[in-house]
Amino acid sequence: MGKLFGSKGGLRIELDRGSYQPGDVVNGTVYLSVSDEIKTKGALVLEINGEEYVKYNEVYGESAVPRKQSNQLLSDQLVLSDNHDSFAPGEYVFPFNYQLRSTLPASFHVDRRHAGEFCDIDAAVKYKLKLRLPVKGAFKSDIKAERPLIVKPAQTAQLVQSRTDATAKHAKLLGMIRQGNCEVSGSLERDVYVAGETLQIRASVVNGSSMDVKSVSVRLVENLVIHANRDHKKEIKAQTCLAEKDFAGVKAGATTIDQAYSLDLVGRSERFAVLPPMASSLVSTSHHVEVRCKFLMSPNVHIEIPVKILAPLVTDVAAASSQLMTDHKTKALD
């Protein structure tokens, strides 16, 4: 509730759902609680705001230049009450509805991504509901409240297909001296997975080099692309490992291993969560699976297979209630 020093009331926003999809109608209710009479100097207004941004530091030697691009996605207002000069003590209810545009990008946020000289990449699409009731009096604070509005991508039918990739490269001692060939190939029976699932990939490694493969690693990698803009004429591409599992390596000398590998599609931390692909006018994300042969003192040899990640569906009332409670935090502004 947005109750501040010097005010005699508070505001809160309740929504009928914890999240919405583009094109949905947002149905909600605003509650105004008044403890002592409030004299107003303006209407009770609900603002619906949306913004996309990307910011990062471009490093030159020991100096870093901050960069930021942003676009306004939504900036609308709903007047909930403009016929009150004052509110007597009590509870007031103001229902509202608002239709989201069908072309809006979904909410997302990633940070601490890196791509060479481009560091601390922070990208997001965020939506917010903000309330304001102007209050008369030199020492009276306006009554305010806000809460996030979560927009999730629409779940559409996905074409599921098998995928393969293969490569053959020399193991190179110190990155220069050739030590023989290492061949890696892999296949997925399907390329669409739900976050939290266990991915299965069949991979074959033929180590014809004179160096041992210390381990075979299976990784889920996020590909973040910052589209070309006024600060840089080319795309910036950042790759981040979200999940990884190591398996036994392969001895040197024409040794072959062919087996199924598994990887749980669960991020290694909250910051590196496994999320569905996102796209806005500034950035986009996608994913691929890597099978990586790791050598000591030699570059790795690996393959990459694109995959699509879907958000898990909320299938029970308890999960839906938990989601609603998480999204239902309101915040009073200073």
PDB file of all heavy atoms in Angstrom, residues 114-137:
ATOM      1  N   HIS A 114      28.666 -10.479 -21.357  1.00  0.00           N
ATOM      2  CA  HIS A 114      29.905  -9.882 -21.853  1.00  0.00           C
ATOM      3  C   HIS A 114      30.193 -10.372 -23.270  1.00  0.00           C
ATOM      4  O   HIS A 114      29.890 -11.521 -23.615  1.00  0.00           O
ATOM      5  CB  HIS A 114      31.078 -10.246 -20.939  1.00  0.00           C
ATOM      6  CG  HIS A 114      30.847  -9.914 -19.499  1.00  0.00           C
ATOM      7  ND1 HIS A 114      30.928  -8.634 -19.001  1.00  0.00           N
ATOM      8  CD2 HIS A 114      30.492 -10.703 -18.451  1.00  0.00           C
ATOM      9  CE1 HIS A 114      30.656  -8.644 -17.703  1.00  0.00           C
ATOM     10  NE2 HIS A 114      30.382  -9.892 -17.348  1.00  0.00           N
ATOM     11  N   ALA A 115      30.781  -9.486 -24.077  1.00  0.00           N
ATOM     12  CA  ALA A 115      31.159  -9.830 -25.450  1.00  0.00           C
ATOM     13  C   ALA A 115      32.412  -9.041 -25.814  1.00  0.00           C
ATOM     14  O   ALA A 115      32.328  -7.930 -26.343  1.00  0.00           O
ATOM     15  CB  ALA A 115      30.026  -9.513 -26.421  1.00  0.00           C
ATOM     16  N   GLY A 116      33.575  -9.609 -25.493  1.00  0.00           N
ATOM     17  CA  GLY A 116      34.824  -8.922 -25.799  1.00  0.00           C
ATOM     18  C   GLY A 116      34.932  -7.614 -25.050  1.00  0.00           C
ATOM     19  O   GLY A 116      34.837  -7.562 -23.822  1.00  0.00           O
ATOM     20  N   GLU A 117      35.087  -6.516 -25.798  1.00  0.00           N
ATOM     21  CA  GLU A 117      35.234  -5.200 -25.168  1.00  0.00           C
ATOM     22  C   GLU A 117      33.910  -4.620 -24.676  1.00  0.00           C
ATOM     23  O   GLU A 117      33.882  -3.554 -24.061  1.00  0.00           O
ATOM     24  CB  GLU A 117      35.901  -4.213 -26.140  1.00  0.00           C
ATOM     25  CG  GLU A 117      35.063  -3.812 -27.336  1.00  0.00           C
ATOM     26  CD  GLU A 117      35.245  -4.725 -28.537  1.00  0.00           C
ATOM     27  OE1 GLU A 117      35.593  -5.903 -28.335  1.00  0.00           O
ATOM     28  OE2 GLU A 117      35.059  -4.244 -29.665  1.00  0.00           O
ATOM     29  N   PHE A 118      32.800  -5.319 -24.952  1.00  0.00           N
ATOM     30  CA  PHE A 118      31.486  -4.867 -24.494  1.00  0.00           C
ATOM     31  C   PHE A 118      31.145  -5.620 -23.203  1.00  0.00           C
ATOM     32  O   PHE A 118      30.885  -6.826 -23.226  1.00  0.00           O
ATOM     33  CB  PHE A 118      30.428  -5.105 -25.564  1.00  0.00           C
ATOM     34  CG  PHE A 118      30.757  -4.456 -26.884  1.00  0.00           C
ATOM     35  CD1 PHE A 118      31.271  -5.208 -27.932  1.00  0.00           C
ATOM     36  CD2 PHE A 118      30.584  -3.099 -27.070  1.00  0.00           C
ATOM     37  CE1 PHE A 118      31.591  -4.622 -29.145  1.00  0.00           C
ATOM     38  CE2 PHE A 118      30.902  -2.495 -28.274  1.00  0.00           C
ATOM     39  CZ  PHE A 118      31.411  -3.256 -29.318  1.00  0.00           C
ATOM     40  N   CYS A 119      31.164  -4.900 -22.093  1.00  0.00           N
ATOM     41  CA  CYS A 119      31.046  -5.539 -20.777  1.00  0.00           C
ATOM     42  C   CYS A 119      29.780  -5.085 -20.049  1.00  0.00           C
ATOM     43  O   CYS A 119      29.213  -4.034 -20.340  1.00  0.00           O
ATOM     44  CB  CYS A 119      32.267  -5.200 -19.923  1.00  0.00           C
ATOM     45  SG  CYS A 119      33.824  -5.757 -20.637  1.00  0.00           S
ATOM     46  N   ASP A 120      29.379  -5.906 -19.074  1.00  0.00           N
ATOM     47  CA  ASP A 120      28.244  -5.581 -18.198  1.00  0.00           C
ATOM     48  C   ASP A 120      26.993  -5.238 -19.003  1.00  0.00           C
ATOM     49  O   ASP A 120      26.314  -4.237 -18.737  1.00  0.00           O
ATOM     50  CB  ASP A 120      28.599  -4.423 -17.261  1.00  0.00           C
ATOM     51  CG  ASP A 120      29.784  -4.755 -16.370  1.00  0.00           C
ATOM     52  OD1 ASP A 120      29.833  -5.884 -15.860  1.00  0.00           O
ATOM     53  OD2 ASP A 120      30.664  -3.889 -16.195  1.00  0.00           O
ATOM     54  N   ILE A 121      26.677  -6.084 -19.976  1.00  0.00           N
ATOM     55  CA  ILE A 121      25.483  -5.864 -20.794  1.00  0.00           C
ATOM     56  C   ILE A 121      24.241  -6.112 -19.945  1.00  0.00           C
ATOM     57  O   ILE A 121      24.115  -7.134 -19.277  1.00  0.00           O
ATOM     58  CB  ILE A 121      25.487  -6.786 -22.024  1.00  0.00           C
ATOM     59  CG1 ILE A 121      26.697  -6.483 -22.915  1.00  0.00           C
ATOM     60  CG2 ILE A 121      24.198  -6.630 -22.818  1.00  0.00           C
ATOM     61  CD1 ILE A 121      26.904  -7.499 -24.030  1.00  0.00           C
ATOM     62  N   ASP A 122      23.331  -5.158 -19.967  1.00  0.00           N
ATOM     63  CA  ASP A 122      22.079  -5.221 -19.211  1.00  0.00           C
ATOM     64  C   ASP A 122      20.960  -4.889 -20.193  1.00  0.00           C
ATOM     65  O   ASP A 122      20.933  -3.789 -20.756  1.00  0.00           O
ATOM     66  CB  ASP A 122      22.127  -4.207 -18.066  1.00  0.00           C
ATOM     67  CG  ASP A 122      20.873  -4.222 -17.190  1.00  0.00           C
ATOM     68  OD1 ASP A 122      19.880  -4.875 -17.568  1.00  0.00           O
ATOM     69  OD2 ASP A 122      20.889  -3.565 -16.137  1.00  0.00           O
ATOM     70  N   ALA A 123      20.057  -5.839 -20.434  1.00  0.00           N
ATOM     71  CA  ALA A 123      18.982  -5.632 -21.407  1.00  0.00           C
ATOM     72  C   ALA A 123      17.658  -6.055 -20.797  1.00  0.00           C
ATOM     73  O   ALA A 123      17.592  -7.035 -20.049  1.00  0.00           O
ATOM     74  CB  ALA A 123      19.256  -6.426 -22.683  1.00  0.00           C
ATOM     75  N   ALA A 124      16.600  -5.320 -21.115  1.00  0.00           N
ATOM     76  CA  ALA A 124      15.308  -5.634 -20.501  1.00  0.00           C
ATOM     77  C   ALA A 124      14.158  -5.058 -21.307  1.00  0.00           C
ATOM     78  O   ALA A 124      14.307  -4.081 -22.048  1.00  0.00           O
ATOM     79  CB  ALA A 124      15.246  -5.096 -19.071  1.00  0.00           C
ATOM     80  N   VAL A 125      13.006  -5.695 -21.143  1.00  0.00           N
ATOM     81  CA  VAL A 125      11.702  -5.132 -21.497  1.00  0.00           C
ATOM     82  C   VAL A 125      10.884  -5.177 -20.216  1.00  0.00           C
ATOM     83  O   VAL A 125      10.699  -6.248 -19.629  1.00  0.00           O
ATOM     84  CB  VAL A 125      11.004  -5.928 -22.615  1.00  0.00           C
ATOM     85  CG1 VAL A 125       9.555  -5.464 -22.775  1.00  0.00           C
ATOM     86  CG2 VAL A 125      11.747  -5.787 -23.931  1.00  0.00           C
ATOM     87  N   LYS A 126      10.414  -4.015 -19.760  1.00  0.00           N
ATOM     88  CA  LYS A 126       9.695  -3.937 -18.490  1.00  0.00           C
ATOM     89  C   LYS A 126       8.418  -3.121 -18.651  1.00  0.00           C
ATOM     90  O   LYS A 126       8.399  -2.109 -19.358  1.00  0.00           O
ATOM     91  CB  LYS A 126      10.578  -3.303 -17.405  1.00  0.00           C
ATOM     92  CG  LYS A 126      11.785  -4.146 -17.024  1.00  0.00           C
ATOM     93  CD  LYS A 126      12.562  -3.522 -15.877  1.00  0.00           C
ATOM     94  CE  LYS A 126      13.729  -4.416 -15.452  1.00  0.00           C
ATOM     95  NZ  LYS A 126      14.469  -3.838 -14.298  1.00  0.00           N
ATOM     96  N   TYR A 127       7.373  -3.572 -17.948  1.00  0.00           N
ATOM     97  CA  TYR A 127       6.095  -2.864 -17.923  1.00  0.00           C
ATOM     98  C   TYR A 127       5.731  -2.571 -16.472  1.00  0.00           C
ATOM     99  O   TYR A 127       6.048  -3.351 -15.569  1.00  0.00           O
ATOM    100  CB  TYR A 127       4.996  -3.702 -18.581  1.00  0.00           C
ATOM    101  CG  TYR A 127       5.291  -4.052 -20.022  1.00  0.00           C
ATOM    102  CD1 TYR A 127       5.897  -5.263 -20.341  1.00  0.00           C
ATOM    103  CD2 TYR A 127       4.986  -3.165 -21.051  1.00  0.00           C
ATOM    104  CE1 TYR A 127       6.186  -5.588 -21.663  1.00  0.00           C
ATOM    105  CE2 TYR A 127       5.267  -3.477 -22.369  1.00  0.00           C
ATOM    106  CZ  TYR A 127       5.869  -4.692 -22.669  1.00  0.00           C
ATOM    107  OH  TYR A 127       6.164  -5.008 -23.977  1.00  0.00           O
ATOM    108  N   LYS A 128       5.046  -1.444 -16.265  1.00  0.00           N
ATOM    109  CA  LYS A 128       4.747  -1.026 -14.898  1.00  0.00           C
ATOM    110  C   LYS A 128       3.409  -0.292 -14.851  1.00  0.00           C
ATOM    111  O   LYS A 128       3.052   0.448 -15.777  1.00  0.00           O
ATOM    112  CB  LYS A 128       5.861  -0.106 -14.394  1.00  0.00           C
ATOM    113  CG  LYS A 128       5.757   0.308 -12.939  1.00  0.00           C
ATOM    114  CD  LYS A 128       6.909   1.220 -12.545  1.00  0.00           C
ATOM    115  CE  LYS A 128       8.235   0.492 -12.581  1.00  0.00           C
ATOM    116  NZ  LYS A 128       9.346   1.338 -12.064  1.00  0.00           N
ATOM    117  N   LEU A 129       2.679  -0.510 -13.755  1.00  0.00           N
ATOM    118  CA  LEU A 129       1.461   0.241 -13.452  1.00  0.00           C
ATOM    119  C   LEU A 129       1.779   1.207 -12.316  1.00  0.00           C
ATOM    120  O   LEU A 129       2.330   0.798 -11.287  1.00  0.00           O
ATOM    121  CB  LEU A 129       0.331  -0.699 -13.029  1.00  0.00           C
ATOM    122  CG  LEU A 129      -0.076  -1.786 -14.026  1.00  0.00           C
ATOM    123  CD1 LEU A 129      -1.151  -2.677 -13.416  1.00  0.00           C
ATOM    124  CD2 LEU A 129      -0.577  -1.175 -15.325  1.00  0.00           C
ATOM    125  N   LYS A 130       1.408   2.485 -12.485  1.00  0.00           N
ATOM    126  CA  LYS A 130       1.700   3.498 -11.472  1.00  0.00           C
ATOM    127  C   LYS A 130       0.434   4.295 -11.159  1.00  0.00           C
ATOM    128  O   LYS A 130      -0.270   4.739 -12.068  1.00  0.00           O
ATOM    129  CB  LYS A 130       2.802   4.447 -11.958  1.00  0.00           C
ATOM    130  CG  LYS A 130       4.126   3.769 -12.235  1.00  0.00           C
ATOM    131  CD  LYS A 130       5.145   4.726 -12.831  1.00  0.00           C
ATOM    132  CE  LYS A 130       5.576   5.785 -11.849  1.00  0.00           C
ATOM    133  NZ  LYS A 130       6.664   6.639 -12.404  1.00  0.00           N
ATOM    134  N   LEU A 131       0.169   4.480  -9.870  1.00  0.00           N
ATOM    135  CA  LEU A 131      -0.986   5.247  -9.403  1.00  0.00           C
ATOM    136  C   LEU A 131      -0.524   6.538  -8.753  1.00  0.00           C
ATOM    137  O   LEU A 131       0.516   6.577  -8.087  1.00  0.00           O
ATOM    138  CB  LEU A 131      -1.771   4.446  -8.363  1.00  0.00           C
ATOM    139  CG  LEU A 131      -2.705   3.343  -8.856  1.00  0.00           C
ATOM    140  CD1 LEU A 131      -3.147   2.494  -7.679  1.00  0.00           C
ATOM    141  CD2 LEU A 131      -3.911   3.933  -9.575  1.00  0.00           C
ATOM    142  N   ARG A 132      -1.361   7.566  -8.919  1.00  0.00           N
ATOM    143  CA  ARG A 132      -1.046   8.843  -8.266  1.00  0.00           C
ATOM    144  C   ARG A 132      -2.342   9.585  -7.964  1.00  0.00           C
ATOM    145  O   ARG A 132      -3.197   9.752  -8.843  1.00  0.00           O
ATOM    146  CB  ARG A 132      -0.152   9.699  -9.159  1.00  0.00           C
ATOM    147  CG  ARG A 132       0.273  11.033  -8.529  1.00  0.00           C
ATOM    148  CD  ARG A 132       1.014  11.888  -9.545  1.00  0.00           C
ATOM    149  NE  ARG A 132       1.495  13.127  -8.963  1.00  0.00           N
ATOM    150  CZ  ARG A 132       2.718  13.317  -8.496  1.00  0.00           C
ATOM    151  NH1 ARG A 132       3.596  12.333  -8.552  1.00  0.00           N
ATOM    152  NH2 ARG A 132       3.081  14.472  -7.979  1.00  0.00           N
ATOM    153  N   LEU A 133      -2.484  10.017  -6.713  1.00  0.00           N
ATOM    154  CA  LEU A 133      -3.598  10.867  -6.300  1.00  0.00           C
ATOM    155  C   LEU A 133      -3.013  12.138  -5.690  1.00  0.00           C
ATOM    156  O   LEU A 133      -2.460  12.109  -4.586  1.00  0.00           O
ATOM    157  CB  LEU A 133      -4.489  10.157  -5.276  1.00  0.00           C
ATOM    158  CG  LEU A 133      -5.678  10.982  -4.753  1.00  0.00           C
ATOM    159  CD1 LEU A 133      -6.642  11.322  -5.886  1.00  0.00           C
ATOM    160  CD2 LEU A 133      -6.407  10.235  -3.640  1.00  0.00           C
ATOM    161  N   PRO A 134      -3.098  13.295  -6.396  1.00  0.00           N
ATOM    162  CA  PRO A 134      -2.560  14.551  -5.861  1.00  0.00           C
ATOM    163  C   PRO A 134      -3.364  15.018  -4.649  1.00  0.00           C
ATOM    164  O   PRO A 134      -4.596  15.013  -4.666  1.00  0.00           O
ATOM    165  CB  PRO A 134      -2.709  15.535  -7.029  1.00  0.00           C
ATOM    166  CG  PRO A 134      -2.906  14.683  -8.240  1.00  0.00           C
ATOM    167  CD  PRO A 134      -3.620  13.464  -7.759  1.00  0.00           C
ATOM    168  N   VAL A 135      -2.654  15.410  -3.588  1.00  0.00           N
ATOM    169  CA  VAL A 135      -3.287  15.807  -2.327  1.00  0.00           C
ATOM    170  C   VAL A 135      -2.961  17.264  -2.036  1.00  0.00           C
ATOM    171  O   VAL A 135      -1.819  17.702  -2.192  1.00  0.00           O
ATOM    172  CB  VAL A 135      -2.796  14.904  -1.174  1.00  0.00           C
ATOM    173  CG1 VAL A 135      -3.390  15.351   0.161  1.00  0.00           C
ATOM    174  CG2 VAL A 135      -3.156  13.454  -1.451  1.00  0.00           C
ATOM    175  N   LYS A 136      -3.988  18.031  -1.607  1.00  0.00           N
ATOM    176  CA  LYS A 136      -3.789  19.433  -1.246  1.00  0.00           C
ATOM    177  C   LYS A 136      -3.037  19.545   0.070  1.00  0.00           C
ATOM    178  O   LYS A 136      -3.138  18.686   0.940  1.00  0.00           O
ATOM    179  CB  LYS A 136      -5.142  20.137  -1.109  1.00  0.00           C
ATOM    180  CG  LYS A 136      -5.821  20.482  -2.415  1.00  0.00           C
ATOM    181  CD  LYS A 136      -7.107  21.264  -2.154  1.00  0.00           C
ATOM    182  CE  LYS A 136      -7.790  21.651  -3.462  1.00  0.00           C
ATOM    183  NZ  LYS A 136      -9.059  22.385  -3.210  1.00  0.00           N
ATOM    184  N   GLY A 137      -2.294  20.648   0.197  1.00  0.00           N
ATOM    185  CA  GLY A 137      -1.597  20.917   1.452  1.00  0.00           C
ATOM    186  C   GLY A 137      -0.103  20.990   1.251  1.00  0.00           C
ATOM    187  O   GLY A 137       0.489  20.126   0.596  1.00  0.00           O
TER     188      GLY A 137
END
